[in-house]
Amino acid sequence: MKLHNSKILITGASGGIGSAVAKALTQQGANLFLVGRNEQTLNSLAEELLGNHKIIIADINTIEGREHIVKQCSSNGGIDLVINLAGIIDFQFFEKQSEKFIQDILTTNLISPMLLCHKLIPLLKLKENTAIVNIGSTFGSIGHPAFTTYCASKFGLRGFTEALRRELADTSIKVFYLAPRATSTNLNSNALSSLNEAMGIKTDSAEWVANELIILLTSDKHQRYLGWPEKLFIRINALFPSLVHNALAKKVPIIRQFTEQ
Ligand SMILES: NC(=O)c1ccc[n+]([C@@H]2O[C@H](COP(=O)([O-])OP(=O)(O)OC[C@H]3O[C@@H](n4cnc5c(N)ncnc54)[C@H](OP(=O)(O)O)[C@@H]3O)[C@@H](O)[C@H]2O)c1
């Protein structure tokens, strides 16, 4: 899709990947709606960006927040692209998570992006060649110990994205999915970064992920899974899940040690 002069909404714009994506998109000449809950962080980001961009202070998990986002977009010329990037994680065994946190993860990573798409599709239909991008994860394709709730949210997001893409196939709205692997941002706690290091899991920079998103948006593909060997593991898990199960089952004791750090 054409990014120059397009109007793009980014949730999670204040985050590690979100701010890198915002910078990469402004270099392509896009005009942004930057969504987040922290005004100060978004103001500092907007000051760093080329061009004039709109800040929208909103909690995507509230009806008021989502209505505010839609109102701001429709009264400021509509949108060409929605990037659902806001997300949270908890590196913990399922039985140790609180009910509230389980609900928060599913709401932030799955239900709210769905409800936002639901409200924004009519707006996207007002223009030609518009798009939605949902940011998933390697853990949206591989169930991993100590990420059970996060995996459920990202598996759900991947399923939602695939079905919505097919449902909108007779419209001019494209639906993209980008699945990063571990990326160096504040999303990852020290314990999680230490686990990644101990397990030899490579970590990408947010800037590299942002560039991969630009490549996806300007290509004729609709999804991209980032990182090698993660891409291969995703294929193996789809074809031979027992192989991946056996490998990860052996790692449970070491994963447990890191969650207890
Ligand atoms: N980092 C990784 O290793 C990694 C790997 C694969 C996929 N991902 C995915 O990439 C996306 C971005 O992750 P990141 O690493 O950039 O995380 P991050 O630095 O922690 O940023 C998370 C962003 O989400 C926003 N957010 C969270 N809850 C919100 C809510 N209720 N309403 C509005 N905004 C909310 C935060 O905004 P506030 O300022 O309002 O808190 C923040 O901007 C997530 O969907 C994550 O699952 C990340």
Side-chain angles (χ1 to χ4, degrees):
M1 73 176 292
K2 184 175 110 6
L3 298 173
H4 191 73
N5 278 337
S6 61
K7 293 174 91 75
I8 302 179
L9 174 88
I10 312 175
T11 72
S14 54
I17 298 177
S19 49
V21 164
K23 285 173 196 159
L25 286 170
T26 51
Q27 279 161 12
Q28 301 286 322
N31 303 301
L32 309 179
F33 293 100
L34 305 163
V35 180
R37 293 165 299 180
N38 187 321
E39 192 168 3
Q40 210 180 340
T41 324
L42 288 178
N43 275 329
S44 319
L45 172 65
E47 277 169 22
E48 280 182 56
L49 300 175
L50 303 167
N52 253 333
H53 308 284
K54 184 146 190 65
I55 288 171
I56 306 177
I57 308 302
D59 181 339
I60 59 161
N61 291 348
T62 65
I63 297 175
E64 303 77 47
R66 291 189 297 272
E67 279 175 352
H68 181 53
I69 293 170
V70 177
K71 216 167 162 184
Q72 288 299 312
C73 293
S74 57
S75 58
N76 285 283
I79 41 167
D80 299 286
L81 172 64
V82 181
I83 306 180
N84 280 309
L85 244 162
I88 56 173
I89 201 168
D90 185 25
F91 170 49
Q92 186 51 275
F93 278 71
F94 181 60
E95 60 179 303
K96 292 204 170 166
Q97 288 180 319
S98 67
E99 274 195 19
K100 166 141 184 14
F101 212 16
I102 292 169
Q103 280 177 345
D104 282 352
I105 293 174
L106 287 169
T107 303
T108 309
N109 297 358
L110 176 61
I111 314 271
S112 297
M114 286 176 68
L115 294 175
L116 206 50
C117 285
H118 185 252
K119 281 221 169 325
L120 289 172
I121 286 170
L123 212 53
L124 290 167
K125 281 190 171 166
L126 296 177
K127 294 191 176 197
E128 282 299 311
N129 302 320
T130 55
I132 294 167
V133 192
N134 293 326
I135 307 299
S137 163
T138 302
F139 289 163
S141 301
I142 298 179
H144 196 289
F147 295 97
T148 303
T149 306
Y150 184 74
C151 286
S153 70
K154 294 292 184 179
F155 267 68
L157 189 69
R158 183 167 61 86
F160 166 65
T161 308
E162 183 177 279
L164 188 66
R165 177 184 305 132
R166 292 170 184 172
E167 193 172 300
L168 293 176
D170 64 352
T171 73
S172 75
I173 306 176
K174 271 187 94 168
V175 184
F176 297 97
Y177 180 75
L178 182 80
R181 63 174 173 187
T183 308
S184 178
T185 71
N186 290 337
L187 189 80
N188 297 306
S189 61
N190 290 341
L192 178 47
S193 300
S194 309
L195 174 79
N196 286 341
E197 220 175 297
M199 290 185 35
I201 292 168
K202 289 191 191 130
T203 301
D204 296 317
S205 72
E207 290 69 29
W208 184 80
V209 173
N211 192 48
E212 291 296 304
L213 175 61
I214 304 283
I215 293 171
L216 172 65
L217 291 173
T218 51
S219 72
D220 55 2
K221 304 268 183 303
H222 51 244
Q223 58 190 14
R224 222 171 146 82
Y225 293 83
L226 304 184
W228 185 263
E230 285 76 2
K231 266 186 233 201
L232 175 66
F233 290 158
I234 287 172
R235 292 274 168 109
I236 296 174
N237 192 49
L239 294 171
F240 309 107
S242 306
L243 282 182
V244 178
H245 172 86
N246 292 340
L248 287 176
K250 283 189 197 128
K251 300 210 161 131
V252 169
I254 178 163
I255 295 169
R256 181 167 284 116
Q257 272 177 28
F258 281 94
T259 63
E260 284 165 2
Q261 265 187 12

